[in-house]
Structures are given as C-alpha cells and as structure tokens.
Amino acid sequence: MKSLIRASIVVAGLCTAGITICSAVNVDTSNSGGTIRSGRLWYDTAGHVINAHGGGIMYHEGTYWWYGEHKVYGSQGNRAHVGIHVYSSTDLVTWRDRGIALPVADAPLRQGMSTSEKTPDSDICDGCVMERPKVIFCPKTGKFSMFFHLELKGQGYRAARTGIAVADKPEGPFKFLRSFRPNGQMSRDMTLFVDNDGKAYHIFASEENKTAHVDELTDDFLDYTGKSVRIMIDESTEGIGICRHGGKYWLIGSGCTGWAPNTARLYVADRIIGPYKRLGNPCRGTNPINNTGPELTWGGQSTFLLPIHGTDRVIAMFDIWNPKNHEESRYVWLPVDFSGEMPTISWLDEWKP
Ligand code: GAL
C-alpha cells in the first residue's frame, strides 16, 4: 500500500505543475509522518502538492480551513488564473483539497454559480492578482466573509484594492461582492482579526505600503464602520499576521522588498488598534535547505499567526517565494515560543503541532 501511495505521489508530482523528479523523490512528506516539515514539498491527502500561498487559516467547528493563493508555473505565476484554493484539516498536518473556494470570474463554472459571475470584465477576471485571502465566520449572519488583496488585470500593483466575497459554507462557493479601497485608502498585504468582544478588523498595508491601517468592520463582517487607525507609521511593514496571546496582541511582519526575503519584525500592543511597540526579529536558527539564517527569515516572508484551538500555542506561518516559478514556492510553519522575555520562532526541521 505504501509503495502504491508513493508511486502515485511521484506521478502526480510529475504531471501536475512542473514538479521535477528530484522534488518528487522527496516524498517523505509532512502528512505521512504526522509532522510538519518546513521548506519541503507538502502534499495533500490525494498526493498533490498543496497550492495555497500567502494563506490564512480559519478554525470552525472542529476543522481548520486553509485558504491561499493558487499559484501557477513561471515568473508570471502570481497572476490569478484559478482563484483562491481551500484545504481542510483536523490535525493541521493532513490536508484535504476542498477545491477552489473563489474561482477567477472566467474560470469554468462550478455548481451553484450563475453565468453572471463568469463575465470576463469582472474585477476578479483571469489575469488579475488575488493575494493573501483571509476568511472569518460571522455569527450574526451565519456566513463566511473572505477579504483579499486585489490588483486589477493589466495594472501591475497600482490598484491596491480589497476584494470581498461571501459564502454559506467554509468550502464555498464564495460569491464575489465587490472591490474597492477601504475607507478610500490603498490596501495591499492584509489580514482579518476577530477580537474577544466579537468585533472584526481588517488590517492592511496602506499609504504605498508605508503605514498600516486597522479598520473596524460592520457587524455583518462585509463592510466598514468608518473607524480607522494608522499603526506602524512609516515603518513599511507588510506580510502582516496577528494573534492574541496572554492578553496582548502580537503582530509579525516583514519589510517591503517584494518577493525577496528581508528581516522579520515582531510588534506588541495592548489593544488591537495599537499603539504597536516594535520588538525586533523573533526568528532564530538556520534553514538547512537553502542555508539561510534568521536575518533573512530563512528565505521567507511572514504570512499568518495561527492559534491552535483549545491551547495557548501559536503557529507562525511564512512563505518562501520563488518569483522565477511561483508554483515552486514553499511553506514554513513553526511554533512561537512565548516563554522568554520576547517571543521567538526557532527553525525546526520537523515537529508535531
Ligand atoms: C510582497 C507582498 C506579496 C506580493 C509581492 C509582490 O511584498 O508581501 O504578497 O504582493 O510583494 O511583489
């Protein structure tokens, strides 16, 4: 049985997205041993490489849902030709492919979608850029809200918009509602956060990525109340992930160097709206796969902070981008150690969440 599974993984690797034989040999995957192995190929339960970059994870009723950018082959592979991919898991190691939660508008129709959602002049048409999707559940409406960074087709990264979509189920299909600049402000790298009091916030790199904004959402989690606060002023922080731990708000981010790695930075605040105090680089140790140390975030960029449900543990998620071939980008997931004076994140070749 084991050899059958291995064989199918190799075949899938070869015929899906330009995976080389060399990579396919590396099938001692995360999910086979019950451990997370950062920087290595990570296969889903069907034996295909997980394609969910710049991702965010929502925990809902016993299941984790991983939403991410579906990247394709080549240097232009950051353009959205498929949409937002979603996977589900109960153990954070074994992920099942649940399909495309939000397809680009002129992708093949899925059950439940109307032809009007297939129009090529949609904001989310084939060739636009859809990045850093995040999904939160709204208890008031019983629906799931997806926010993502949207760049319109043919405009590079100039549009700096937020796209919003909604679904009745975590796996979708999500219905695209609209895109715009929140409260009239530029929005690129982003995350969503629901606070203990039930209020939701959209946190995004704004003002040409120099300053981030924390914008409060309306109680249907689909619009803005107009309350907006500027944080990390003139610090050019992106790749933003936020979690609450020990009564404080922890924010991880990167500098602003496109797909190239730079030094991560950690911030702490007493309230979600800040002010955020900069603490320095939480990363430790070296990634032996690319021989890159903590000063360059092991070759990666922060993307999300994930609290493990029912525990006080948090996973820090990063992407190792490959701008020459976007679908060859890799994931780094490591535990955050809150035991010292300042939280740290140390490289581990392999670990169990
Ligand atoms: C990065 C950003 C990525 C992507 C990239 C494009 O700084 O974090 O999500 O937008 O720039 O160059």
Side-chain angles (χ1 to χ4, degrees):
M1 185 59 187
K2 201 163 186 185
S3 61
L4 258 183
I5 292 169
R6 281 178 175 249
S8 70
I9 287 171
V10 172
V11 171
L14 282 172
C15 61
T16 49
I19 307 295
T20 61
I21 293 178
C22 179
S23 308
V25 165
N26 196 3
V27 288
D28 48 342
T29 66
S30 305
N31 55 46
S32 63
T35 55
I36 288 176
R37 304 186 72 218
S38 291
R40 307 266 175 199
L41 286 173
W42 195 343
Y43 296 94
D44 66 20
T45 53
H48 299 120
V49 176
I50 295 175
N51 198 332
H53 307 274
I57 294 186
M58 172 187 67
Y59 175 84
H60 185 71
E61 295 179 350
T63 300
Y64 294 93
W65 297 85
W66 177 359
Y67 302 88
E69 307 157 11
H70 182 108
K71 303 279 200 192
V72 300
Y73 179 78
S75 61
Q76 304 298 308
N78 59 320
R79 310 263 164 82
H81 297 298
V82 178
I84 304 302
H85 212 136
V86 58
Y87 296 80
S88 66
S89 173
T90 52
D91 64 5
L92 291 167
V93 176
T94 317
W95 292 91
R96 180 174 152 215
D97 188 351
R98 305 301 294 260
I100 303 304
L102 175 64
V104 294
D106 40 356
L109 280 181
R110 273 176 38 140
Q111 212 185 351
M113 288 183 78
S114 69
T115 42
S116 63
E117 286 164 285
K118 199 174 168 277
T119 52
D121 58 354
S122 161
D123 289 355
I124 59 163
C125 69
D126 185 9
C128 73
V129 170
M130 296 162 85
E131 290 181 349
R132 301 193 179 269
K134 304 289 175 316
V135 174
I136 50 176
F137 174 68
C138 178
K140 190 184 170 209
T141 60
K143 292 183 191 293
F144 299 86
S145 297
M146 178 190 286
F147 284 48
F148 57 96
H149 167 201
L150 175 74
E151 295 295 346
L152 301 174
K153 183 176 181 178
Q155 297 188 23
Y157 277 80
R158 289 189 296 281
R161 291 192 188 209
T162 291
I164 301 183
V166 69
D168 295 328
K169 291 184 290 177
E171 65 268 41
F174 279 79
K175 182 180 162 52
F176 176 65
L177 298 178
R178 62 195 182 285
S179 87
F180 54 92
R181 289 184 168 185
N183 292 311
Q185 299 293 315
M186 299 175 93
S187 57
R188 293 201 180 96
D189 282 10
M190 54 142 286
T191 195
L192 294 177
F193 183 79
V194 183
D195 210 345
N196 279 8
D197 61 4
K199 278 201 168 53
Y201 298 85
H202 178 207
I203 299 106
F204 53 92
S206 192
E207 306 180 29
E208 295 291 2
N209 298 339
K210 286 200 181 70
T211 294
H213 290 191
V214 182
D215 285 14
E216 190 185 83
L217 300 184
T218 49
D219 59 8
D220 61 1
F221 294 2
L222 291 173
D223 210 341
Y224 297 80
T225 63
K227 281 191 195 161
S228 176
V229 177
R230 299 169 77 224
I231 59 167
M232 306 183 294
I233 293 163
D234 288 334
E235 298 210 15
S236 298
T237 299
E238 46 179 30
I240 298 170
I242 292 192
C243 73
R244 195 167 190 274
H245 185 278
K248 293 196 183 295
Y249 298 82
W250 303 92
L251 186 157
I252 193 168
S254 69
C256 237
T257 52
W259 304 114
N262 55 59
T263 311
R265 67 236 352 219
L266 188 73
Y267 294 83
V268 65
D270 292 325
R271 297 189 303 161
I272 183 69
I273 56 169
Y276 282 83
K277 184 180 164 208
R278 189 160 167 169
L279 299 177
N281 181 8
C283 303
R284 306 282 183 269
T286 295
N287 171 358
I289 302 161
N290 57 13
N291 203 25
T292 304
E295 66 291 341
L296 286 180
T297 319
W298 315 292
Q301 183 186 23
S302 51
T303 193
F304 198 70
L305 290 179
L306 169 67
I308 304 182
H309 184 77
T311 76
D312 63 353
R313 291 181 293 131
V314 173
I315 299 178
M317 293 165 48
F318 303 80
D319 294 282
I320 295 186
W321 301 116
N322 184 342
K324 292 201 182 112
N325 180 5
H326 282 274
E327 73 172 4
E328 285 281 335
S329 299
R330 297 277 185 269
Y331 315 105
V332 170
W333 289 23
L334 296 165
V336 183
D337 179 357
F338 284 98
S339 65
E341 226 163 73
M342 173 184 147
T344 53
I345 304 161
S346 296
W347 180 270
L348 296 172
D349 290 336
E350 188 170 0
W351 65 286
K352 268 188 208 290

